[in-house]
Amino acid sequence: MLLTSLYRDHTLDRPEAVRVGDDPLSAGDLVAAAAAVADRIAGAAAIAVDATASLHTVVAVVGALAAGVPVVPVPPDSGHAERAHILRDSGATAVLAAPGRTSTDHTGDDAIAAIPIDLAARSASGFPAPAQDDTALILYTSGTTGVPKGVLIPYRALAAGLDALADAWAWTPDDVLVHGLPLFHVHGLVLGVLGALRVGSRLVHTVRPKPQAYAAAGGSLYFGVPTVWSRVCADEPSARALSGARLLVSGSAPLPVPVFERLTALAGQPPVERYGMTETLITVSTRADGERRPGYVGLPVHGVQTRLVDDTGAPLAADGETVGGLQVRGTQLFAGYLGRPDATAESYAADDWFRTGDVATVGPDGWHRIVGRASTDLIKTGGYRVGAGEVENALLAHPAVAEAAVIGAPHDDLGEEIVAYVVTREPVTEKVLIDFVAGHLSVHKRPRRVHLLNSLPRNAMGKVQKKLL
């Protein structure tokens, strides 16, 4: 059973296993409410969940997993076209939603019923444990390279991935996990809800990841994305209030080095960084009992292997300098893209290593530094290979720069030129920023152009949407 800790006698008596905002739920009530959901949907081919930041989402997801029905989390703010595509493509037969959000969904000419989630309902039903290779979740990609694809996550992947993180982070039932991340991605749902339930630790979801809410929660373990940690650092009292926590974890995007250093100074400990994808869950992480280096995501977690390859697929040296395509393999990888055997096959090398699409360096000691997406963050300029993240961190070191994103733009002579998009705290000129980077890095890594913006386009997880730039 995936969520084994919920069924242990000592956790069933816990008066508060999960709290979302001001709404608590005991472990026993969660199990009984989830069983009531399972009673209603057992046998469904797949079930969608209107994944609001609420106890309704937690109960719905746990109930579907208990019934062995694949869960399709749907972003609550998704537009009509995106929502219709997810519902139609996944084959969901109904949508579980909070009573105030129930309505019939239409996918083309077809209608999908909405089932209200009753938090007061209770059932003592039991269900057989699903097979390890059965699909637990169908998570949809961001769709940056076309329509979103359904990623099939089997129960074995969830168990292996969460157990590996419990090992790396020394995560135990005595922990109190706090976060306010969306409940339709790997970070907020898989790690932030299912991880806590599998380990047996208490979960406090703050609905939104506001610094004051994090500070007031009194957790031992905190999850956040770089945008969250940047806002925490801007609120010094809240940042200092986290000094009693055991672990601060950052993920979903690279944590800028200035934010890493500021959080370390204010909270009294460096954050843990980790790396993963929807298709692979978390594959690389800093360990709770290990070193934490700014700009690095650590070592492969238990059960995962990694390697770097060049453009032809040939292995590259782990020398800490050579940038290559990152490939991974392990038991926690996905089972393929729903209805897309062609895309599944293309995502693997001939010897069954998964192509992440990210570029990285690996040191002789095994430490990984993620350069970024091969399509947007590896810039080939004038014969050099430059990682966008390195230039972004150099820009962020300037006191006038609040946010920075760097891309490669087509150039007749250089192949690509480095272009920066910057949000500033105070007036600064393009030339000053270009010269500043040239003084901190090799001259060929300087931006050729700098655009000053009021804000950078970001998605729900705080990642900069560089395709829009």
Side-chain angles (χ1 to χ4, degrees):
M1 193 75 179
L2 173 66
L3 307 176
T4 51
S5 65
L6 282 179
Y7 299 89
R8 297 175 186 157
D9 291 342
H10 72 278
T11 56
L12 284 173
D13 293 334
R14 181 172 288 172
E16 185 176 304
V18 179
R19 174 179 289 272
V20 181
D22 295 326
D23 301 322
L25 197 62
S26 71
D29 284 344
L30 173 55
V31 170
V37 169
D39 285 341
R40 300 179 69 183
I41 64 171
I47 197 79
V49 175
D50 181 44
T52 57
S54 67
L55 282 179
H56 295 89
T57 296
V58 177
V59 168
V61 170
V62 175
L65 292 176
V69 176
V71 180
V72 186
V74 180
D77 61 349
S78 57
H80 173 75
E82 178 187 5
R83 189 178 182 93
H85 168 73
I86 291 173
L87 295 176
R88 181 176 58 251
D89 187 71
S90 67
T93 57
V95 180
L96 291 169
R101 293 178 59 87
T102 53
S103 62
T104 301
D105 274 286
H106 294 273
T107 61
D109 296 328
D110 300 321
I112 294 180
I115 300 175
I117 303 163
D118 183 1
L119 295 181
R122 299 289 183 268
S123 171
S125 297
F127 296 85
Q132 289 299 297
D133 286 328
D134 286 353
T135 299
L137 299 170
I138 304 175
L139 302 175
Y140 277 79
T141 62
S142 59
T144 55
T145 57
V147 295
K149 298 188 290 289
V151 177
L152 301 173
I153 306 293
Y155 284 86
R156 60 150 172 86
L158 288 180
L162 295 176
D163 289 348
L165 289 183
D167 170 69
W169 298 343
W171 194 352
T172 75
D174 293 329
D175 277 308
V176 177
L177 170 62
V178 177
H179 74 90
L181 302 174
L183 300 185
F184 48 86
H185 286 301
V186 166
H187 198 167
L189 177 60
V190 177
L191 277 60
V193 174
L194 301 184
L197 296 181
R198 181 162 179 84
V199 169
S201 66
R202 182 169 164 245
L203 167 63
V204 176
H205 192 283
T206 60
V207 181
R208 295 185 180 278
K210 294 183 177 180
Q212 298 88 344
Y214 272 36
S220 63
L221 178 61
Y222 285 81
F223 290 171
V225 298
T227 301
V228 170
W229 294 123
S230 177
R231 291 172 181 172
V232 166
C233 290
D235 184 341
E236 289 195 17
S238 293
R240 295 188 188 280
L242 302 184
S243 61
R246 187 178 65 79
L247 217 59
L248 309 177
V249 181
S250 182
S252 295
L255 185 67
V257 172
V259 178
F260 180 104
E261 294 173 341
R262 183 67 173 155
L263 187 59
T264 301
L266 292 173
Q269 63 169 305
V272 161
E273 292 192 68
R274 86 300 183 283
Y275 163 80
M277 300 176 64
T278 304
E279 293 89 339
T280 67
L281 305 184
I282 306 306
T283 52
V284 182
S285 179
T286 308
R287 295 185 61 86
D289 58 358
E291 182 185 358
R292 304 171 199 178
R293 304 176 190 172
Y296 289 79
V297 292
L299 304 163
V301 300
H302 179 73
V304 172
Q305 294 175 291
T306 66
R307 72 179 183 185
L308 293 183
V309 299
D310 65 16
D311 293 340
T312 69
L316 291 172
D319 57 12
E321 297 294 333
T322 303
V323 176
L326 181 63
Q327 297 184 353
V328 303
R329 66 181 179 185
T331 56
Q332 63 191 61
L333 268 65
F334 75 137
Y337 296 110
L338 177 63
R340 297 286 302 276
D342 54 339
T344 302
E346 290 171 5
S347 68
Y348 281 89
D351 53 357
D352 292 331
W353 285 75
F354 178 74
R355 298 185 176 108
T356 66
D358 287 318
V359 287
T361 67
V362 179
D365 56 2
W367 273 71
H368 289 56
R369 178 174 65 86
I370 305 300
V371 173
R373 296 299 291 171
S375 59
T376 56
D377 294 311
L378 180 61
I379 303 169
K380 299 176 181 179
T381 178
Y384 295 100
R385 294 159 67 92
V386 178
E390 185 179 20
V391 183
E392 289 163 358
N393 278 323
L395 285 163
L396 289 167
H398 192 285
V401 175
E403 299 179 73
V406 169
I407 65 169
H411 190 275
D412 291 340
D413 180 45
L414 299 171
E416 288 184 303
E417 65 174 345
I418 299 172
V419 180
Y421 294 81
V422 172
V423 177
T424 62
R425 297 187 180 90
E426 57 191 61
V428 65
T429 67
E430 177 184 15
K431 184 177 185 305
V432 166
L433 294 179
I434 292 172
D435 291 345
F436 181 80
V437 174
H440 281 67
L441 304 175
S442 300
V443 173
H444 70 266
K445 296 180 179 179
R446 73 192 187 281
R448 299 299 179 120
R449 289 184 286 142
V450 175
H451 299 284
L452 303 179
L453 304 178
N454 292 324
S455 63
L456 297 176
R458 297 181 183 273
N459 64 14
M461 291 301 290
K463 290 184 181 180
V464 175
Q465 297 180 291
K466 290 192 174 182
K467 293 289 187 182
L468 298 180
L469 295 176

